[in-house]
mmCIF file with all atom_site columns, all heavy atoms in Angstrom:
data_model
loop_
_atom_site.group_PDB
_atom_site.id
_atom_site.type_symbol
_atom_site.label_atom_id
_atom_site.label_alt_id
_atom_site.label_comp_id
_atom_site.label_asym_id
_atom_site.label_entity_id
_atom_site.label_seq_id
_atom_site.pdbx_PDB_ins_code
_atom_site.Cartn_x
_atom_site.Cartn_y
_atom_site.Cartn_z
_atom_site.occupancy
_atom_site.B_iso_or_equiv
_atom_site.pdbx_formal_charge
_atom_site.auth_seq_id
_atom_site.auth_comp_id
_atom_site.auth_asym_id
_atom_site.auth_atom_id
_atom_site.pdbx_PDB_model_num
ATOM 1   N N   . ALA A 1 1  ? -8.168 6.095   -24.823 1.00 98.00 ? 11 ALA A N   1
ATOM 2   C CA  . ALA A 1 1  ? -8.026 5.564   -26.186 1.00 98.00 ? 11 ALA A CA  1
ATOM 3   C C   . ALA A 1 1  ? -7.617 4.101   -26.069 1.00 98.00 ? 11 ALA A C   1
ATOM 4   O O   . ALA A 1 1  ? -6.570 3.799   -25.478 1.00 98.00 ? 11 ALA A O   1
ATOM 5   C CB  . ALA A 1 1  ? -6.980 6.350   -26.963 1.00 98.00 ? 11 ALA A CB  1
ATOM 6   N N   . TRP A 1 2  ? -8.391 3.205   -26.618 1.00 97.00 ? 12 TRP A N   1
ATOM 7   C CA  . TRP A 1 2  ? -8.129 1.782   -26.447 1.00 97.00 ? 12 TRP A CA  1
ATOM 8   C C   . TRP A 1 2  ? -6.726 1.367   -26.873 1.00 97.00 ? 12 TRP A C   1
ATOM 9   O O   . TRP A 1 2  ? -6.149 0.466   -26.244 1.00 97.00 ? 12 TRP A O   1
ATOM 10  C CB  . TRP A 1 2  ? -9.212 0.915   -27.086 1.00 97.00 ? 12 TRP A CB  1
ATOM 11  C CG  . TRP A 1 2  ? -9.203 0.896   -28.584 1.00 97.00 ? 12 TRP A CG  1
ATOM 12  C CD1 . TRP A 1 2  ? -9.967 1.645   -29.418 1.00 97.00 ? 12 TRP A CD1 1
ATOM 13  C CD2 . TRP A 1 2  ? -8.387 0.072   -29.419 1.00 97.00 ? 12 TRP A CD2 1
ATOM 14  N NE1 . TRP A 1 2  ? -9.663 1.356   -30.719 1.00 97.00 ? 12 TRP A NE1 1
ATOM 15  C CE2 . TRP A 1 2  ? -8.698 0.391   -30.748 1.00 97.00 ? 12 TRP A CE2 1
ATOM 16  C CE3 . TRP A 1 2  ? -7.420 -0.898  -29.182 1.00 97.00 ? 12 TRP A CE3 1
ATOM 17  C CZ2 . TRP A 1 2  ? -8.070 -0.223  -31.828 1.00 97.00 ? 12 TRP A CZ2 1
ATOM 18  C CZ3 . TRP A 1 2  ? -6.789 -1.514  -30.258 1.00 97.00 ? 12 TRP A CZ3 1
ATOM 19  C CH2 . TRP A 1 2  ? -7.129 -1.183  -31.564 1.00 97.00 ? 12 TRP A CH2 1
ATOM 20  N N   . PRO A 1 3  ? -6.112 1.971   -27.932 1.00 98.00 ? 13 PRO A N   1
ATOM 21  C CA  . PRO A 1 3  ? -4.745 1.548   -28.249 1.00 98.00 ? 13 PRO A CA  1
ATOM 22  C C   . PRO A 1 3  ? -3.744 1.847   -27.109 1.00 98.00 ? 13 PRO A C   1
ATOM 23  O O   . PRO A 1 3  ? -2.807 1.074   -26.900 1.00 98.00 ? 13 PRO A O   1
ATOM 24  C CB  . PRO A 1 3  ? -4.397 2.352   -29.502 1.00 98.00 ? 13 PRO A CB  1
ATOM 25  C CG  . PRO A 1 3  ? -5.719 2.655   -30.137 1.00 98.00 ? 13 PRO A CG  1
ATOM 26  C CD  . PRO A 1 3  ? -6.629 2.888   -28.974 1.00 98.00 ? 13 PRO A CD  1
ATOM 27  N N   . ILE A 1 4  ? -3.962 2.923   -26.374 1.00 98.00 ? 14 ILE A N   1
ATOM 28  C CA  . ILE A 1 4  ? -3.094 3.226   -25.231 1.00 98.00 ? 14 ILE A CA  1
ATOM 29  C C   . ILE A 1 4  ? -3.310 2.161   -24.159 1.00 98.00 ? 14 ILE A C   1
ATOM 30  O O   . ILE A 1 4  ? -2.351 1.629   -23.586 1.00 98.00 ? 14 ILE A O   1
ATOM 31  C CB  . ILE A 1 4  ? -3.381 4.631   -24.656 1.00 98.00 ? 14 ILE A CB  1
ATOM 32  C CG1 . ILE A 1 4  ? -3.165 5.716   -25.699 1.00 98.00 ? 14 ILE A CG1 1
ATOM 33  C CG2 . ILE A 1 4  ? -2.501 4.895   -23.427 1.00 98.00 ? 14 ILE A CG2 1
ATOM 34  C CD1 . ILE A 1 4  ? -3.666 7.094   -25.261 1.00 98.00 ? 14 ILE A CD1 1
ATOM 35  N N   . GLY A 1 5  ? -4.557 1.845   -23.896 1.00 97.00 ? 15 GLY A N   1
ATOM 36  C CA  . GLY A 1 5  ? -4.868 0.811   -22.918 1.00 97.00 ? 15 GLY A CA  1
ATOM 37  C C   . GLY A 1 5  ? -4.319 -0.542  -23.307 1.00 97.00 ? 15 GLY A C   1
ATOM 38  O O   . GLY A 1 5  ? -3.827 -1.294  -22.458 1.00 97.00 ? 15 GLY A O   1
ATOM 39  N N   . LEU A 1 6  ? -4.361 -0.854  -24.602 1.00 98.00 ? 16 LEU A N   1
ATOM 40  C CA  . LEU A 1 6  ? -3.806 -2.122  -25.078 1.00 98.00 ? 16 LEU A CA  1
ATOM 41  C C   . LEU A 1 6  ? -2.290 -2.152  -24.869 1.00 98.00 ? 16 LEU A C   1
ATOM 42  O O   . LEU A 1 6  ? -1.740 -3.156  -24.399 1.00 98.00 ? 16 LEU A O   1
ATOM 43  C CB  . LEU A 1 6  ? -4.154 -2.328  -26.554 1.00 98.00 ? 16 LEU A CB  1
ATOM 44  C CG  . LEU A 1 6  ? -3.638 -3.621  -27.184 1.00 98.00 ? 16 LEU A CG  1
ATOM 45  C CD1 . LEU A 1 6  ? -4.206 -4.844  -26.470 1.00 98.00 ? 16 LEU A CD1 1
ATOM 46  C CD2 . LEU A 1 6  ? -3.995 -3.656  -28.668 1.00 98.00 ? 16 LEU A CD2 1
ATOM 47  N N   . ALA A 1 7  ? -1.610 -1.059  -25.202 1.00 98.00 ? 17 ALA A N   1
ATOM 48  C CA  . ALA A 1 7  ? -0.165 -0.987  -24.978 1.00 98.00 ? 17 ALA A CA  1
ATOM 49  C C   . ALA A 1 7  ? 0.146  -1.145  -23.493 1.00 98.00 ? 17 ALA A C   1
ATOM 50  O O   . ALA A 1 7  ? 1.088  -1.856  -23.109 1.00 98.00 ? 17 ALA A O   1
ATOM 51  C CB  . ALA A 1 7  ? 0.389  0.335   -25.502 1.00 98.00 ? 17 ALA A CB  1
ATOM 52  N N   . TYR A 1 8  ? -0.627 -0.483  -22.653 1.00 97.00 ? 18 TYR A N   1
ATOM 53  C CA  . TYR A 1 8  ? -0.468 -0.584  -21.200 1.00 97.00 ? 18 TYR A CA  1
ATOM 54  C C   . TYR A 1 8  ? -0.583 -2.045  -20.759 1.00 97.00 ? 18 TYR A C   1
ATOM 55  O O   . TYR A 1 8  ? 0.254  -2.555  -20.017 1.00 97.00 ? 18 TYR A O   1
ATOM 56  C CB  . TYR A 1 8  ? -1.543 0.272   -20.526 1.00 97.00 ? 18 TYR A CB  1
ATOM 57  C CG  . TYR A 1 8  ? -1.401 0.449   -19.040 1.00 97.00 ? 18 TYR A CG  1
ATOM 58  C CD1 . TYR A 1 8  ? -0.941 1.645   -18.521 1.00 97.00 ? 18 TYR A CD1 1
ATOM 59  C CD2 . TYR A 1 8  ? -1.747 -0.555  -18.143 1.00 97.00 ? 18 TYR A CD2 1
ATOM 60  C CE1 . TYR A 1 8  ? -0.830 1.842   -17.142 1.00 97.00 ? 18 TYR A CE1 1
ATOM 61  C CE2 . TYR A 1 8  ? -1.638 -0.369  -16.777 1.00 97.00 ? 18 TYR A CE2 1
ATOM 62  C CZ  . TYR A 1 8  ? -1.171 0.828   -16.282 1.00 97.00 ? 18 TYR A CZ  1
ATOM 63  O OH  . TYR A 1 8  ? -1.057 1.019   -14.938 1.00 97.00 ? 18 TYR A OH  1
ATOM 64  N N   . ALA A 1 9  ? -1.641 -2.713  -21.219 1.00 97.00 ? 19 ALA A N   1
ATOM 65  C CA  . ALA A 1 9  ? -1.881 -4.104  -20.832 1.00 97.00 ? 19 ALA A CA  1
ATOM 66  C C   . ALA A 1 9  ? -0.762 -5.025  -21.299 1.00 97.00 ? 19 ALA A C   1
ATOM 67  O O   . ALA A 1 9  ? -0.315 -5.901  -20.550 1.00 97.00 ? 19 ALA A O   1
ATOM 68  C CB  . ALA A 1 9  ? -3.226 -4.576  -21.387 1.00 97.00 ? 19 ALA A CB  1
ATOM 69  N N   . VAL A 1 10 ? -0.292 -4.822  -22.515 1.00 97.00 ? 20 VAL A N   1
ATOM 70  C CA  . VAL A 1 10 ? 0.781  -5.666  -23.055 1.00 97.00 ? 20 VAL A CA  1
ATOM 71  C C   . VAL A 1 10 ? 2.055  -5.516  -22.226 1.00 97.00 ? 20 VAL A C   1
ATOM 72  O O   . VAL A 1 10 ? 2.697  -6.500  -21.860 1.00 97.00 ? 20 VAL A O   1
ATOM 73  C CB  . VAL A 1 10 ? 1.028  -5.353  -24.549 1.00 97.00 ? 20 VAL A CB  1
ATOM 74  C CG1 . VAL A 1 10 ? 2.328  -5.972  -25.039 1.00 97.00 ? 20 VAL A CG1 1
ATOM 75  C CG2 . VAL A 1 10 ? -0.148 -5.829  -25.387 1.00 97.00 ? 20 VAL A CG2 1
ATOM 76  N N   . VAL A 1 11 ? 2.410  -4.274  -21.902 1.00 98.00 ? 21 VAL A N   1
ATOM 77  C CA  . VAL A 1 11 ? 3.610  -4.044  -21.096 1.00 98.00 ? 21 VAL A CA  1
ATOM 78  C C   . VAL A 1 11 ? 3.415  -4.615  -19.693 1.00 98.00 ? 21 VAL A C   1
ATOM 79  O O   . VAL A 1 11 ? 4.291  -5.321  -19.168 1.00 98.00 ? 21 VAL A O   1
ATOM 80  C CB  . VAL A 1 11 ? 3.968  -2.541  -21.055 1.00 98.00 ? 21 VAL A CB  1
ATOM 81  C CG1 . VAL A 1 11 ? 5.081  -2.269  -20.046 1.00 98.00 ? 21 VAL A CG1 1
ATOM 82  C CG2 . VAL A 1 11 ? 4.375  -2.053  -22.444 1.00 98.00 ? 21 VAL A CG2 1
ATOM 83  N N   . TRP A 1 12 ? 2.289  -4.323  -19.067 1.00 95.00 ? 22 TRP A N   1
ATOM 84  C CA  . TRP A 1 12 ? 2.023  -4.784  -17.704 1.00 95.00 ? 22 TRP A CA  1
ATOM 85  C C   . TRP A 1 12 ? 2.062  -6.310  -17.625 1.00 95.00 ? 22 TRP A C   1
ATOM 86  O O   . TRP A 1 12 ? 2.805  -6.894  -16.828 1.00 95.00 ? 22 TRP A O   1
ATOM 87  C CB  . TRP A 1 12 ? 0.676  -4.251  -17.254 1.00 95.00 ? 22 TRP A CB  1
ATOM 88  C CG  . TRP A 1 12 ? 0.326  -4.476  -15.812 1.00 95.00 ? 22 TRP A CG  1
ATOM 89  C CD1 . TRP A 1 12 ? 1.140  -4.895  -14.792 1.00 95.00 ? 22 TRP A CD1 1
ATOM 90  C CD2 . TRP A 1 12 ? -0.961 -4.294  -15.220 1.00 95.00 ? 22 TRP A CD2 1
ATOM 91  N NE1 . TRP A 1 12 ? 0.435  -4.953  -13.621 1.00 95.00 ? 22 TRP A NE1 1
ATOM 92  C CE2 . TRP A 1 12 ? -0.856 -4.588  -13.846 1.00 95.00 ? 22 TRP A CE2 1
ATOM 93  C CE3 . TRP A 1 12 ? -2.188 -3.871  -15.719 1.00 95.00 ? 22 TRP A CE3 1
ATOM 94  C CZ2 . TRP A 1 12 ? -1.933 -4.502  -12.971 1.00 95.00 ? 22 TRP A CZ2 1
ATOM 95  C CZ3 . TRP A 1 12 ? -3.262 -3.774  -14.837 1.00 95.00 ? 22 TRP A CZ3 1
ATOM 96  C CH2 . TRP A 1 12 ? -3.132 -4.089  -13.483 1.00 95.00 ? 22 TRP A CH2 1
ATOM 97  N N   . LEU A 1 13 ? 1.278  -6.955  -18.468 1.00 95.00 ? 23 LEU A N   1
ATOM 98  C CA  . LEU A 1 13 ? 1.198  -8.410  -18.433 1.00 95.00 ? 23 LEU A CA  1
ATOM 99  C C   . LEU A 1 13 ? 2.500  -9.061  -18.897 1.00 95.00 ? 23 LEU A C   1
ATOM 100 O O   . LEU A 1 13 ? 2.902  -10.099 -18.358 1.00 95.00 ? 23 LEU A O   1
ATOM 101 C CB  . LEU A 1 13 ? 0.016  -8.890  -19.268 1.00 95.00 ? 23 LEU A CB  1
ATOM 102 C CG  . LEU A 1 13 ? -1.354 -8.459  -18.734 1.00 95.00 ? 23 LEU A CG  1
ATOM 103 C CD1 . LEU A 1 13 ? -2.460 -8.860  -19.701 1.00 95.00 ? 23 LEU A CD1 1
ATOM 104 C CD2 . LEU A 1 13 ? -1.603 -9.031  -17.345 1.00 95.00 ? 23 LEU A CD2 1
ATOM 105 N N   . GLY A 1 14 ? 3.151  -8.445  -19.868 1.00 97.00 ? 24 GLY A N   1
ATOM 106 C CA  . GLY A 1 14 ? 4.434  -8.979  -20.339 1.00 97.00 ? 24 GLY A CA  1
ATOM 107 C C   . GLY A 1 14 ? 5.494  -8.964  -19.257 1.00 97.00 ? 24 GLY A C   1
ATOM 108 O O   . GLY A 1 14 ? 6.197  -9.960  -19.024 1.00 97.00 ? 24 GLY A O   1
ATOM 109 N N   . MET A 1 15 ? 5.616  -7.846  -18.555 1.00 96.00 ? 25 MET A N   1
ATOM 110 C CA  . MET A 1 15 ? 6.596  -7.751  -17.469 1.00 96.00 ? 25 MET A CA  1
ATOM 111 C C   . MET A 1 15 ? 6.203  -8.647  -16.303 1.00 96.00 ? 25 MET A C   1
ATOM 112 O O   . MET A 1 15 ? 7.072  -9.257  -15.663 1.00 96.00 ? 25 MET A O   1
ATOM 113 C CB  . MET A 1 15 ? 6.748  -6.305  -16.997 1.00 96.00 ? 25 MET A CB  1
ATOM 114 C CG  . MET A 1 15 ? 7.520  -5.432  -17.947 1.00 96.00 ? 25 MET A CG  1
ATOM 115 S SD  . MET A 1 15 ? 9.184  -6.047  -18.322 1.00 96.00 ? 25 MET A SD  1
ATOM 116 C CE  . MET A 1 15 ? 9.964  -5.890  -16.726 1.00 96.00 ? 25 MET A CE  1
ATOM 117 N N   . LEU A 1 16 ? 4.925  -8.740  -16.030 1.00 93.00 ? 26 LEU A N   1
ATOM 118 C CA  . LEU A 1 16 ? 4.461  -9.608  -14.958 1.00 93.00 ? 26 LEU A CA  1
ATOM 119 C C   . LEU A 1 16 ? 4.770  -11.072 -15.275 1.00 93.00 ? 26 LEU A C   1
ATOM 120 O O   . LEU A 1 16 ? 5.254  -11.818 -14.415 1.00 93.00 ? 26 LEU A O   1
ATOM 121 C CB  . LEU A 1 16 ? 2.963  -9.399  -14.742 1.00 93.00 ? 26 LEU A CB  1
ATOM 122 C CG  . LEU A 1 16 ? 2.341  -10.010 -13.501 1.00 93.00 ? 26 LEU A CG  1
ATOM 123 C CD1 . LEU A 1 16 ? 3.036  -9.528  -12.234 1.00 93.00 ? 26 LEU A CD1 1
ATOM 124 C CD2 . LEU A 1 16 ? 0.868  -9.654  -13.440 1.00 93.00 ? 26 LEU A CD2 1
ATOM 125 N N   . ALA A 1 17 ? 4.528  -11.476 -16.510 1.00 94.00 ? 27 ALA A N   1
ATOM 126 C CA  . ALA A 1 17 ? 4.818  -12.852 -16.916 1.00 94.00 ? 27 ALA A CA  1
ATOM 127 C C   . ALA A 1 17 ? 6.325  -13.134 -16.887 1.00 94.00 ? 27 ALA A C   1
ATOM 128 O O   . ALA A 1 17 ? 6.751  -14.215 -16.484 1.00 94.00 ? 27 ALA A O   1
ATOM 129 C CB  . ALA A 1 17 ? 4.261  -13.115 -18.315 1.00 94.00 ? 27 ALA A CB  1
ATOM 130 N N   . ALA A 1 18 ? 7.115  -12.159 -17.299 1.00 95.00 ? 28 ALA A N   1
ATOM 131 C CA  . ALA A 1 18 ? 8.569  -12.363 -17.362 1.00 95.00 ? 28 ALA A CA  1
ATOM 132 C C   . ALA A 1 18 ? 9.228  -12.371 -15.989 1.00 95.00 ? 28 ALA A C   1
ATOM 133 O O   . ALA A 1 18 ? 10.192 -13.105 -15.766 1.00 95.00 ? 28 ALA A O   1
ATOM 134 C CB  . ALA A 1 18 ? 9.208  -11.282 -18.233 1.00 95.00 ? 28 ALA A CB  1
ATOM 135 N N   . THR A 1 19 ? 8.711  -11.555 -15.054 1.00 95.00 ? 29 THR A N   1
ATOM 136 C CA  . THR A 1 19 ? 9.400  -11.397 -13.770 1.00 95.00 ? 29 THR A CA  1
ATOM 137 C C   . THR A 1 19 ? 8.611  -11.896 -12.563 1.00 95.00 ? 29 THR A C   1
ATOM 138 O O   . THR A 1 19 ? 9.211  -12.117 -11.525 1.00 95.00 ? 29 THR A O   1
ATOM 139 C CB  . THR A 1 19 ? 9.726  -9.913  -13.512 1.00 95.00 ? 29 THR A CB  1
ATOM 140 O OG1 . THR A 1 19 ? 8.510  -9.176  -13.338 1.00 95.00 ? 29 THR A OG1 1
ATOM 141 C CG2 . THR A 1 19 ? 10.553 -9.325  -14.646 1.00 95.00 ? 29 THR A CG2 1
ATOM 142 N N   . ARG A 1 20 ? 7.279  -11.998 -12.687 1.00 93.00 ? 30 ARG A N   1
ATOM 143 C CA  . ARG A 1 20 ? 6.378  -12.313 -11.575 1.00 93.00 ? 30 ARG A CA  1
ATOM 144 C C   . ARG A 1 20 ? 6.473  -11.279 -10.460 1.00 93.00 ? 30 ARG A C   1
ATOM 145 O O   . ARG A 1 20 ? 6.174  -11.568 -9.311  1.00 93.00 ? 30 ARG A O   1
ATOM 146 C CB  . ARG A 1 20 ? 6.629  -13.727 -11.048 1.00 93.00 ? 30 ARG A CB  1
ATOM 147 C CG  . ARG A 1 20 ? 6.207  -14.815 -12.023 1.00 93.00 ? 30 ARG A CG  1
ATOM 148 C CD  . ARG A 1 20 ? 6.286  -16.237 -11.488 1.00 93.00 ? 30 ARG A CD  1
ATOM 149 N NE  . ARG A 1 20 ? 6.378  -16.388 -10.053 1.00 93.00 ? 30 ARG A NE  1
ATOM 150 C CZ  . ARG A 1 20 ? 7.464  -16.857 -9.398  1.00 93.00 ? 30 ARG A CZ  1
ATOM 151 N NH1 . ARG A 1 20 ? 8.544  -17.197 -10.068 1.00 93.00 ? 30 ARG A NH1 1
ATOM 152 N NH2 . ARG A 1 20 ? 7.454  -16.984 -8.083  1.00 93.00 ? 30 ARG A NH2 1
ATOM 153 N N   . ILE A 1 21 ? 6.890  -10.065 -10.803 1.00 93.00 ? 31 ILE A N   1
ATOM 154 C CA  . ILE A 1 21 ? 6.962  -8.990  -9.821  1.00 93.00 ? 31 ILE A CA  1
ATOM 155 C C   . ILE A 1 21 ? 5.903  -7.958  -10.189 1.00 93.00 ? 31 ILE A C   1
ATOM 156 O O   . ILE A 1 21 ? 6.029  -7.231  -11.168 1.00 93.00 ? 31 ILE A O   1
ATOM 157 C CB  . ILE A 1 21 ? 8.368  -8.346  -9.780  1.00 93.00 ? 31 ILE A CB  1
ATOM 158 C CG1 . ILE A 1 21 ? 9.428  -9.400  -9.447  1.00 93.00 ? 31 ILE A CG1 1
ATOM 159 C CG2 . ILE A 1 21 ? 8.399  -7.202  -8.776  1.00 93.00 ? 31 ILE A CG2 1
ATOM 160 C CD1 . ILE A 1 21 ? 10.854 -8.886  -9.498  1.00 93.00 ? 31 ILE A CD1 1
ATOM 161 N N   . SER A 1 22 ? 4.861  -7.902  -9.366  1.00 90.00 ? 32 SER A N   1
ATOM 162 C CA  . SER A 1 22 ? 3.716  -7.043  -9.646  1.00 90.00 ? 32 SER A CA  1
ATOM 163 C C   . SER A 1 22 ? 4.108  -5.576  -9.787  1.00 90.00 ? 32 SER A C   1
ATOM 164 O O   . SER A 1 22 ? 3.686  -4.904  -10.730 1.00 90.00 ? 32 SER A O   1
ATOM 165 C CB  . SER A 1 22 ? 2.665  -7.202  -8.544  1.00 90.00 ? 32 SER A CB  1
ATOM 166 O OG  . SER A 1 22 ? 1.568  -6.361  -8.786  1.00 90.00 ? 32 SER A OG  1
ATOM 167 N N   . SER A 1 23 ? 4.891  -5.077  -8.860  1.00 93.00 ? 33 SER A N   1
ATOM 168 C CA  . SER A 1 23 ? 5.250  -3.656  -8.894  1.00 93.00 ? 33 SER A CA  1
ATOM 169 C C   . SER A 1 23 ? 6.043  -3.302  -10.149 1.00 93.00 ? 33 SER A C   1
ATOM 170 O O   . SER A 1 23 ? 5.831  -2.244  -10.731 1.00 93.00 ? 33 SER A O   1
ATOM 171 C CB  . SER A 1 23 ? 6.043  -3.261  -7.642  1.00 93.00 ? 33 SER A CB  1
ATOM 172 O OG  . SER A 1 23 ? 7.262  -3.987  -7.576  1.00 93.00 ? 33 SER A OG  1
ATOM 173 N N   . LEU A 1 24 ? 6.931  -4.175  -10.566 1.00 96.00 ? 34 LEU A N   1
ATOM 174 C CA  . LEU A 1 24 ? 7.737  -3.899  -11.760 1.00 96.00 ? 34 LEU A CA  1
ATOM 175 C C   . LEU A 1 24 ? 6.861  -3.847  -13.010 1.00 96.00 ? 34 LEU A C   1
ATOM 176 O O   . LEU A 1 24 ? 7.009  -2.953  -13.848 1.00 96.00 ? 34 LEU A O   1
ATOM 177 C CB  . LEU A 1 24 ? 8.842  -4.943  -11.920 1.00 96.00 ? 34 LEU A CB  1
ATOM 178 C CG  . LEU A 1 24 ? 9.817  -4.719  -13.062 1.00 96.00 ? 34 LEU A CG  1
ATOM 179 C CD1 . LEU A 1 24 ? 10.532 -3.371  -12.926 1.00 96.00 ? 34 LEU A CD1 1
ATOM 180 C CD2 . LEU A 1 24 ? 10.838 -5.852  -13.114 1.00 96.00 ? 34 LEU A CD2 1
ATOM 181 N N   . GLY A 1 25 ? 5.915  -4.772  -13.108 1.00 96.00 ? 35 GLY A N   1
ATOM 182 C CA  . GLY A 1 25 ? 4.989  -4.747  -14.241 1.00 96.00 ? 35 GLY A CA  1
ATOM 183 C C   . GLY A 1 25 ? 4.170  -3.473  -14.263 1.00 96.00 ? 35 GLY A C   1
ATOM 184 O O   . GLY A 1 25 ? 4.022  -2.829  -15.306 1.00 96.00 ? 35 GLY A O   1
ATOM 185 N N   . GLY A 1 26 ? 3.655  -3.076  -13.112 1.00 96.00 ? 36 GLY A N   1
ATOM 186 C CA  . GLY A 1 26 ? 2.859  -1.846  -13.028 1.00 96.00 ? 36 GLY A CA  1
ATOM 187 C C   . GLY A 1 26 ? 3.680  -0.607  -13.334 1.00 96.00 ? 36 GLY A C   1
ATOM 188 O O   . GLY A 1 26 ? 3.216  0.292   -14.048 1.00 96.00 ? 36 GLY A O   1
ATOM 189 N N   . LEU A 1 27 ? 4.884  -0.535  -12.797 1.00 97.00 ? 37 LEU A N   1
ATOM 190 C CA  . LEU A 1 27 ? 5.742  0.627   -13.050 1.00 97.00 ? 37 LEU A CA  1
ATOM 191 C C   . LEU A 1 27 ? 6.085  0.753   -14.530 1.00 97.00 ? 37 LEU A C   1
ATOM 192 O O   . LEU A 1 27 ? 6.029  1.855   -15.098 1.00 97.00 ? 37 LEU A O   1
ATOM 193 C CB  . LEU A 1 27 ? 7.016  0.546   -12.207 1.00 97.00 ? 37 LEU A CB  1
ATOM 194 C CG  . LEU A 1 27 ? 6.829  0.819   -10.718 1.00 97.00 ? 37 LEU A CG  1
ATOM 195 C CD1 . LEU A 1 27 ? 8.053  0.370   -9.923  1.00 97.00 ? 37 LEU A CD1 1
ATOM 196 C CD2 . LEU A 1 27 ? 6.540  2.294   -10.479 1.00 97.00 ? 37 LEU A CD2 1
ATOM 197 N N   . CYS A 1 28 ? 6.434  -0.358  -15.151 1.00 98.00 ? 38 CYS A N   1
ATOM 198 C CA  . CYS A 1 28 ? 6.753  -0.317  -16.583 1.00 98.00 ? 38 CYS A CA  1
ATOM 199 C C   . CYS A 1 28 ? 5.540  0.103   -17.405 1.00 98.00 ? 38 CYS A C   1
ATOM 200 O O   . CYS A 1 28 ? 5.672  0.872   -18.370 1.00 98.00 ? 38 CYS A O   1
ATOM 201 C CB  . CYS A 1 28 ? 7.278  -1.673  -17.046 1.00 98.00 ? 38 CYS A CB  1
ATOM 202 S SG  . CYS A 1 28 ? 8.917  -2.069  -16.411 1.00 98.00 ? 38 CYS A SG  1
#
């Protein structure tokens, strides 16, 4: 479902941008 994927992307990219830690973004 695209809304789930969008939420996933927002969290992943948001955490990646905030921390620059790939694993943390993926885990979140």
Side-chain angles (χ1 to χ4, degrees):
W12 72 263
I14 300 170
L16 180 60
Y18 189 105
V20 167
V21 171
W22 188 12
L23 295 174
M25 286 303 294
L26 191 56
T29 66
R30 291 187 17 248
I31 302 175
S32 179
S33 62
L34 184 59
L37 287 165
C38 290

